[in-house]
Structure formats: C-alpha cells, structure tokens
Amino acid sequence: MSRGALQPSQQKLAEKLTILNDRGIGMLTRIYNIKKQGQVWKACGDPKAKPSYLIDKNLESAVKFIVRKFPAIETRNNNQQLAQLQKEKSEILKNLALYYFTFVDVMEFKEAAEFGFILCHAALSSDAAALSLWKLALQSSSCLCLFRDEVFHIHKSAEDLFVNIRGYNKRVNDIRECKESALSHAGSMHRERRKFLRSALKELATVLADQPGLLGPKALFVFMALSFARDEIIWLLRHADNIQKKSTDDFIDKHIAELIFYMEELRAHVRKYGPVMQRYYVQYLSGFDAVVLNELVQNLSVCPEDESIIMSSFVNTMTSLSVKQVEDGEVFDFRGLRLDWFRLQAYTSVSKASLGLADHRELGKMMNTIIFHTKMVDSLVEMLVETSDVSMFWYDLNMRHHIGDRSLSLCNMFLDEMAKQARNLITDICTEQCTLSDQLLPKHCAKTISQAVNKKSKKQTGKKGEPEREKPGVESMRKNRLLVTNLDKLHTALSELCFSINYVPNMMVWEHTFTPREYLTSHLEIRFTKSIVGMTMYNQATQEIAKPSELLTSVRAYMTVLQSIENYVQIDITRVFNNVLLQQTQHLDSHGEPTITSLYTNWYLETLLRQVSNGHIAYFPAMKAFVNLPTENELTFNAEEYSDISEMRSLSELLGPYGMKFLSESLMWHISSQVAELKKLVVDNVEVLTQMRTSFDKPDHMAALFKRLTSVDSVLKRMTIIGVILSFRSLAQEALRDVLSCHIPFLVSSVEDFKDHIPRETDMKVAMNVYELSSAAGLPCEIDPALVVALSSQKSENISPEEEYKIACLLMVFVAVSMPTLASNVMSQYSPAIEGHCNNIHCLAKAINQIAAALFTIHKGSIEDRLKEFLALASSSLLKIGQETDKSTTRNRESVYLLLDMIVQESPFLTMDLLESCFPYVLLRNAYHAVYKQSVSSSA
C-alpha cells in the first residue's frame, strides 16, 4: 500500500491518534468536573447555590425540547417554546458556554474515534483459556478505576449484560460466584501481594543503591515493579471506598507508606542515575538493536518503498548514536522515530497491505523493544509518571486551599510524631546506658572487694544460696547471635526511624519547607534538658539531691548516646549540647524552668551550709572538704560526699564558669546580708569601739570597755559563717581552676600570668577588671571582685562615705577585741588531724582577710594599714588571756592563739615579721606544741 494511495484524511494517522488520545484525557477531565459540579448542586439544599434558570418552572418545556434535539436544534419554527429563554439568554450563555462546548466536543470525539471494543462474550463458551482468565479477573477485583474516583463495578455491569442474553445463565452464575469469591478472598490476596511487593521492592532498591550500573540491564524490572506497586495502591484505595467488605482488616494497610517509600527510592535511583541508563541504552541501540533490525529488514521477502524508507530511517537513526552525545549533555528526542513506528503499524495492519505485520512477528517484537530502549534515553521522567504516578488522588481545585492547609497540618503532625518516637527510643537507650554506667561507680565496688577479701580469707558471709552479683560487662557476653537484648531492639527501631528522618534534607509542601532533622533536634534539646534536671533527683521535701559526680557520669553516658545519633542521622549534636548545657549554666532555662545550676546552688546554700551554721558539719582544711560531726540527730546526707575535691570538680564540669559565677554571686549575697547585720551591731557599740580603737595599750581601760560591749558572740558567729561560706567558695574556685586547666590550659596560664604581674601602682579599677577575669577562671585574688560588688550594693544614702569607712574600721576592731572569748568555748579546740577547729573558727582567718580587703577597697582605704591595726588589737587582746587564772576562760587559749598565725598565713598583706613584732613567736610555737601534745594524748 503506497503512500500515494492514502486519502488526505488518512495521512498523518499516527499524529492524529496521539493528539486524540491526549484530547480524550482532557475531555474526561472536563466531564468529570461537570459531573462533580452537578453533584454539588444536587446535594446543596440552598436554592441560591444553583443557577436560577435551572430551577425556573417557566423554562422546563424549553429545557426538555433542547435535550430531545441536542445538539441539532431548530429555532425557526419553535419560537414559542424558546421565547422564555430570551430573558435569560445572556446569563445562560455566560454560565453554560463551557458545558455546551464540552458536550459538543464529546460528540465529535465519538464520531473522528468510533473504534472502541466489543465484548467478545462468545469466546467464553468456546475458549477455556479465555474463560479461565475472565474468572481470574472477576475474582481479583470488584471495581475498576475509570478516571480519578470514578469506578466501574464489573460484576454488576457484566451480570446486567448477560442476564438479558438467552443461554447465559451459567455465565451469570459464574459472575455471582466470582463476586462472592472476590468479596471473601480478594482483600487477603492483594494484602499478601502488597507484602511480597514490599519485600521485593526493598531488595531491588538495596541492590540498585549498591550497584547503580544494574539500572541499565534491569530497567524493565524497575518499571514493572513500580507499575505493580502503583496498581496495588490504586486497587486498595478504590476498593476501600467503593465496595462492601466482609473483613475491613484486609483494606486497612498500615504498611502502605512503606510500599510508597520503596517506590520513591526506585524513582530517586532512576532520576539520579539517568545518565548511566542513557549510556547503556545508547550503546545498546547503536551496537545491537540497529544491527539486528537491519538484518530483519534485509531478510524481508517483500518491502514496499514507503515501509523501506521508514525502516531504513530507524537503522540510520540508531547507528548514528554515540556515548559522546551523553557525555556532552546532548538532549535526545526519539518522538519522531516512535511516531514513524506508529505509522508503520498502520500501514502494515490494513487488509490489503503488501507487507503484513502479522506475518513478521519478530519484526514487531524487535521494534517494540527498540521503542522501549528509546524511552530509556529520552523519556525517563515520562516513564516514571506512566508507571508510578499517584497524583491522580489529588485533583479538586475547589478544595485546593483546604487540602493545602490540611496537608501542612498533617505533614507537621507526622514529622513531629516521628521525632517524638525517635526521641522516646533515644531516651530509653540513654536510660539503659546510664544504668550500665552507674554500675561502674566506686560506691558499687565495696561489695565486690569484700567478697574477694572474704574469699581469700575463706570466710563465709551472707545467707546461703544468695546469688552472686553480676559484674559490669556481663551484658555484652552472647552465647549465640540469635540472643537479642532490649538494647538491641531499641537500636534497631531507632536506626529505622532515623533512616526515615534522614532520607531527605528538606521537604517542599505547598510552598513551605519542612526540615525533618530540625524536628528531631528540637525534641532532643527539650528531652535532654528535662533529663538533666530529672537526673539530679532533687526532692524539695527531703532536700535530697544526686551527688555531682553521679550526675556527671549519667550526663556523660547520655551525651555518648546522643553523640552516636550522628551515625544514624545527619544532625549537629554539638549544637544540641551547646544549647542545652549553656542554658543549664544559667539560673533559669529558655522556658523559665529551674536548671541544675539553680538546684545545686539552692541545695548547697540552704542545706549543706545551713547545717554548717547549725554546728552539724565542719570544714576540714586538711581534707579540703566539709565533714559531718557526730550529733544526736544524724543528717540524711554525708557532707563529705558532696564537698570533696572530686565532687567539686564534677560540680564545676556540670555548671561551667557561668554556673560557678552564679554560685559565687549567690554566696556573696548571703555574705553581704551577714555584713549588713554586723554593721548594725557596730553602730550599736560605736562609742565603745571608738574608745577601744585608741586604748589598746591600756589593759585596765580596755577590760572595762570590753564589758560594755554587746552582742560579742553574735559578731564572732556571723564572721564564722562568712568564713565558712568563703571557704566553700574557695573549694569551688579551686575546682573550677582545675577543670579549666584541663580544658583550656593555655588560656588559664595566660590569665594567671596577667594577674601575677599587675604593678602595685596600677589604678584600682584596672586591677579589679583583672581580678574579675581571674576570678572567672577560678584563680585566687588578693581582693575578691565578687565580694566587692556584693558589699558595694550596701551603701546607704543616709550615711556619709566617711561614716561608712569608720564603721568598716570599727568592725575590724570589734572582731579583734572579741577573739579572746573564743578560748572559753569547748569546741574551740584545735585538731591537728583536720588542721582546724570543730566549731569552724579557723574560717575566721579567711573571713577577716577578705572582708577587710573588700571593705577598704570600696572605701578607698589602706588595706595593709587596717590589717596592721587589726593585728595589733587582736594580739593585745589575746596576750591578756595569758595572764588569766580562770581555767574556764582559758581552756582553749593555745588553740585561739593559732588563729593569729592562720590570719597572717592567709593574708597577702601581712607578714610573719609584723606578727612577731606584736605577738611573740615563742607563744605560737608553744601553742602548736601544746595542741599537738593534747591531740596525741586524747587519741591514746
């Protein structure tokens, strides 16, 4: 059949059929929208929602006339019936023009494309294979998806057709049996099919991710897998909504998202490795397909000119392909070749064709293979749409904004729920790890050591049959690989969740960008914050709290687990640590909740130091710790376990420089309140103290003046409390210095060098800035900047600076002349073992030096001169008790003498030469000898 023999209307048949196919989809869309609009009007109870001409009784006859003759309407002889339409003409044309032309297009489309299909039901009786296939189809589904959510109920339609045909009762019975089978078994069958597809697609995606080069030879399997999965999703969604189900469980698939996920993985592989597939199929087309097709053409017995030209163009097109075109990024377009094949099929399928395609099946198979190969080069995206697109489930433009809002809400909710589940798993893992870390704490080794010692000495302890305590590390021993622990299950579940969260860095939903990892980061920050505070185990009622070292161990175990999350998902866990731990160094976190800094600060101030003030705890300089004293009412905690060097270092690690600064400021606030009370006591005794200040060389007059003083014990007690607080702060500062020296040694050494080389003539403001820097690094300073700031806030507007300075001087006088009264206290005995006194009066040395330095810095006085004055008054007062004969007032005289040595040793402004000029060193030597001798005798 030559091209010249074709009629003009038969030319370019391939192009026309292609255009008609696309046009048909467009018309289906328009008809679908018209139907939905009609359903909306029908369902709407408000008449105002419908066009007025559809509910006008006067137009009913005209509408019936038009429908009967549509689209051919004779208007010349029916003016009376159509007269009523003239009033509504403009509105009708405006609103129904789109519908009218749509129906006209449909009728035209039905006439340029009257091919369709005829139900060959006669074959069901003559062909057993056809009958078997027909039954399988009826048993597999109850409805078919026609367009969007429009479905075709196959059993009902087939039964309605066959029931009216004579002799088809058996077929009708077959239909009913198949319908019953479909309702009973189709759901479970498709459920198992989806289960198989999930496994198959997962394996295929895993293999292709490892070996993307297989995408070339296995492309057909990829698109088959996508198509099968897409069909199962459509089947499930359409059957779940449109049929009566005997079992709803088969139509609720919580794993459908997993199947879609594997589809997305395969689609992503195809998009990512498209050039790999292009290289493969370009070589395939030019190196194999062209050669085989050329041989098939050469072996044709008859080949008309037009067909020969087309097939020669196929061979030439494929032969000209090269890999360099792919490497150069050339855009391929084989649409012309595919249209030519469409055209060739039309030429060779007519009844009088010289070359019949039915007689050359190998040629048809080869060309169909070539067409698929060309699509692998230039139409990968279109192939993905054709085989795996599920966007058909979103189409209602009228609901666009509602769907958009709902989509954003669901996306946010789903990502948030995923992050919550991951957070909960991480929390469970952290709890397990904290338990394992807790087993390694020193407190748990005592029993193990005891058992070892008893075993060595062959002593039997404990009850018979008592199980031996498992040693740390036993949980890592496995007898076989099948043994799975709870921790293993948690890690497996976490890895799956994190894989999902890490699958894409960002998600675009309705012009909004979602970052799944940020959801996880946010939840981890919140949970880490709550966990840290919770692990302190602070009980306000019983004033119990975890030891800093134990909390630090738990926090480190928690951080180790969080650090390992970076192996699962690409998040910056260091940012989480910085955000959370820095907030914990403040008084309140970003949500206004208390932090470990506030909890530990309150506990040390309100619990530990308060018990020191009550005489239940003493500071032992030799141990650099606070220790419980034997009392009638035992404390609920051991002070040493919260205040020794290791605990204070752990506290510094947890709180950091900012937290320790807050602790210092809180301590200084308590000191400032004590100083304020001391000043009130000085004001009450100002006249007597003024006279005593200038009469220290008159013993009798001093004795008389001393009797006139009031609140002497209160002054010493408050000064002792200040000394205790400063001693605790000294421990904290030393621990902070040790911690920072490990973390930032070069910076700490630079600050220390800067502090040690401040010239004496430096302006005090400059010096205080240096001291503030040094204090923040935990370095001891001659003048405590935090104490200066705290005491500076006490300045009263009603008192002149000169009067404030006088009160400060008299405060030192008050303390100096009150010291002899300490000798009468039974608890003032010095203990060489602890290098201090059980009533903490050894802390007076630190209090006197630092209070004097701070006060006279504020009032711009000479610190050295004032301390000399204090030393002269204190020495004179203590020398007088050497002449006392009353043993009750001098029972601990030697122990009190040692306070002078401690004050000088503590002070950067006083020297031993100055002390010896006021107080004979022989008395100090004898005092040390006496207290050590007394300590040995009491021990014996």
Side-chain angles (χ1 to χ4, degrees), residues 775-795:
S775 179
L779 301 175
C781 303
E782 294 180 353
I783 304 170
D784 194 327
L787 187 57
V788 171
V789 172
L791 297 181
S792 298
S793 61
Q794 290 185 343
K795 287 185 178 180

Side-chain angles (χ1 to χ4, degrees), residues 798-856:
N798 300 327
I799 303 176
S800 63
E802 293 78 12
E803 191 67 21
E804 286 278 1
Y805 177 71
K806 180 182 178 182
I807 292 174
C809 294
L810 293 180
L811 174 59
M812 302 307 298
V813 173
F814 206 161
V815 175
V817 300
S818 302
M819 288 180 64
T821 61
L822 295 171
S824 61
N825 191 335
V826 178
M827 298 296 292
S828 295
Q829 182 180 352
Y830 179 84
S831 173
I834 66 173
E835 296 181 3
H837 307 75
C838 290
N839 61 353
N840 291 313
I841 60 172
H842 54 275
C843 297
L844 284 171
K846 194 175 289 290
I848 291 166
N849 279 290
Q850 295 201 23
I851 290 294
L855 286 176
F856 297 118

Side-chain angles (χ1 to χ4, degrees), residues 391-411:
S391 63
M392 66 183 71
F393 301 115
W394 175 81
Y395 42 78
D396 195 341
L397 295 178
N398 295 326
M399 301 291 288
R400 182 176 185 276
H401 296 292
H402 173 73
I403 292 174
D405 294 340
R406 183 66 173 160
S407 299
L408 293 174
S409 175
L410 288 174
C411 184

Side-chain angles (χ1 to χ4, degrees), residues 674-741:
Q674 294 292 339
V675 172
E677 295 298 322
L678 286 170
K679 287 182 177 180
K680 293 178 182 178
L681 298 177
V682 171
V683 172
D684 293 340
N685 296 275
V686 65
E687 294 181 3
V688 178
L689 291 173
T690 302
Q691 295 180 47
M692 295 183 79
R693 184 181 183 188
T694 57
S695 305
F696 66 91
D697 55 347
K698 301 173 183 177
D700 296 335
H701 188 50
M702 287 287 288
L705 290 172
F706 184 77
K707 292 179 180 179
R708 294 169 55 188
L709 287 175
T710 60
S711 305
V712 174
D713 291 340
S714 180
V715 169
L716 292 173
K717 185 176 181 180
R718 292 186 183 281
M719 284 297 291
T720 303
I721 291 173
I722 292 173
V724 168
I725 296 175
L726 290 173
S727 297
F728 177 77
R729 181 171 186 267
S730 178
L731 291 178
Q733 289 293 94
E734 183 179 350
L736 177 62
R737 181 177 70 250
D738 293 342
V739 169
L740 293 181
S741 297

